[in-house]
């Protein structure tokens, strides 16, 4: 009877350790690591702050300072950022496959300088996939391309109203779409599908030290019970 009570107590300790809430760890993906500088083609990947980024379709993507884009560079960013050309996209996932939340990002339209591009209203889409397999997307307006003859400024998108449902995610894809007559992505971008992305703000659950300690205590208790049972 006594041994049974001790065993139940050990199991209860382990159970308590497994349900301790995880701490939320905010992370900034700012592309400023010099090792990220370069040109990326479809399927190429790079990592920062525990997150994996994959270049999707289009011609290519780059991580560099604005000078690399010349006159098309966004006007209010002197640090490195990611830019995408010709209707490509950037896929963001956790390096360990774990869930995360998207809390915001900065983005800008990158015009096609010196070539014909139709006047359109564009937005950047954040298309999310959750850990349960559900998917949804939100478009954030980047403005009208008609008057853009040089780089556009980075715009900041943040706040619970915009990102309240971007939780428990396993992937987010960023790409551009047209906004016309109240409809999204209904028209081809006609060489306007280019964007810059910076300061992606994400939050991932991380076990606190207390959680690890409780888990170890629970496991130790179970091991002790198992040893005593073998001796009896």
């Amino acid at each position: 009877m006594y041994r049974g009570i001790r065993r139940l107590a050990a199991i209860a300790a382990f159970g308590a350790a497994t349900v301790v809430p995880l701490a939320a760890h905010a992370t900034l993906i700012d592309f400023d690591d010099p090792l990220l500088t370069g040109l990326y083609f479809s399927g190429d990947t790079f990592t920062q702050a525990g997150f994996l980024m994959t270049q999707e379709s289009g011609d290519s993507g780059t991580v560099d300072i604005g000078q690399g884009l010349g006159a098309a560079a966004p006007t209010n960013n002197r640090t490195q950022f990611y830019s995408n050309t010709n209707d490509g996209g950037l896929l963001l996932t956790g390096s360990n496959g774990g869930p995360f939340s998207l809390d915001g990002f900065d983005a800008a339209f990158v015009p096609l300088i010196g070539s014909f591009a139709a006047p359109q209203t564009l937005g950047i889409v954040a298309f999310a996939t959750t850990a349960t397999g559900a998917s949804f997307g939100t478009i954030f307006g980047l403005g009208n391309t008609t008057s853009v003859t040089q780089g556009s400024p980075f715009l900041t998108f943040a706040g619970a109203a915009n990102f309240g449902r971007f939780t428990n995610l396993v992937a987010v894809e960023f790409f551009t779409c047209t906004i016309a007559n109240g409809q999204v992505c209904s028209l081809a971008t006609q060489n306007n599908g280019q964007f810059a992305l910076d300061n992606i703000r994400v939050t991932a659950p991380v076990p606190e030290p207390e959680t690890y300690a409780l888990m170890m205590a629970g496991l130790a208790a179970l091991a002790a019970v198992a040893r005593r049972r073998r001796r009896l």
Side-chain angles (χ1 to χ4, degrees):
M1 174 86 175
Y2 179 71
R3 288 196 300 271
I5 292 173
R6 291 288 297 274
R7 185 170 185 270
L8 288 174
I11 293 172
F14 179 71
T18 61
V19 297
V20 172
L22 300 181
H25 179 67
T27 298
L28 179 67
I29 302 171
D30 59 11
F31 305 99
D32 285 344
D33 186 343
L35 295 177
L36 300 181
T37 307
L39 184 64
Y40 298 91
F41 295 98
S42 181
D44 287 346
T45 62
F46 57 93
T47 61
Q48 186 184 11
F51 284 84
L52 176 70
M53 283 151 281
T54 304
Q55 174 67 31
E56 293 195 316
S57 64
D59 282 354
S60 62
T62 61
V63 174
D64 207 340
I65 60 174
Q67 183 177 354
L69 293 177
T75 57
N76 59 339
N77 191 327
R78 296 182 181 275
T79 64
Q80 285 197 160
F81 54 85
Y82 167 83
S83 61
N84 181 84
T85 60
N86 294 349
D87 295 313
L90 184 70
L91 180 67
L92 171 71
T93 57
S95 296
N96 62 0
F100 62 92
S101 300
L102 177 65
D103 305 319
F105 58 87
D106 299 345
F109 169 58
V110 177
L112 194 64
I113 303 296
S115 300
F116 173 76
Q120 293 177 319
T121 299
L122 289 184
I124 183 168
V125 176
F127 190 82
T129 301
T130 71
T132 63
S135 59
F136 60 88
T138 298
I139 190 166
F140 302 88
L142 295 179
N144 192 288
T145 66
T146 304
S147 59
V148 178
T149 57
Q150 59 181 8
S152 301
F154 267 99
L155 303 176
T156 296
F157 303 102
N162 289 324
F163 295 96
R165 63 175 179 160
F166 281 83
T167 60
N168 195 32
L169 308 180
V170 294
V172 178
E173 183 183 5
F174 297 95
F175 57 91
T176 53
C177 258
T178 58
I179 304 172
N181 301 318
Q183 297 192 1
V184 174
C185 301
S186 60
L187 300 175
T189 56
Q190 300 186 49
N191 295 330
N192 285 317
Q194 305 190 133
F195 65 93
L197 190 63
D198 202 4
N199 298 325
I200 304 174
R201 295 171 288 282
V202 290
T203 301
V206 176
E208 294 181 315
E210 294 85 357
T211 304
Y212 286 119
L214 285 171
M215 291 177 69
M216 291 303 101
L219 288 172
L222 286 176
V225 169
R227 286 194 299 271
R228 281 195 290 271
R229 285 173 63 85
R230 285 196 296 271
R231 289 198 298 265
L232 295 177

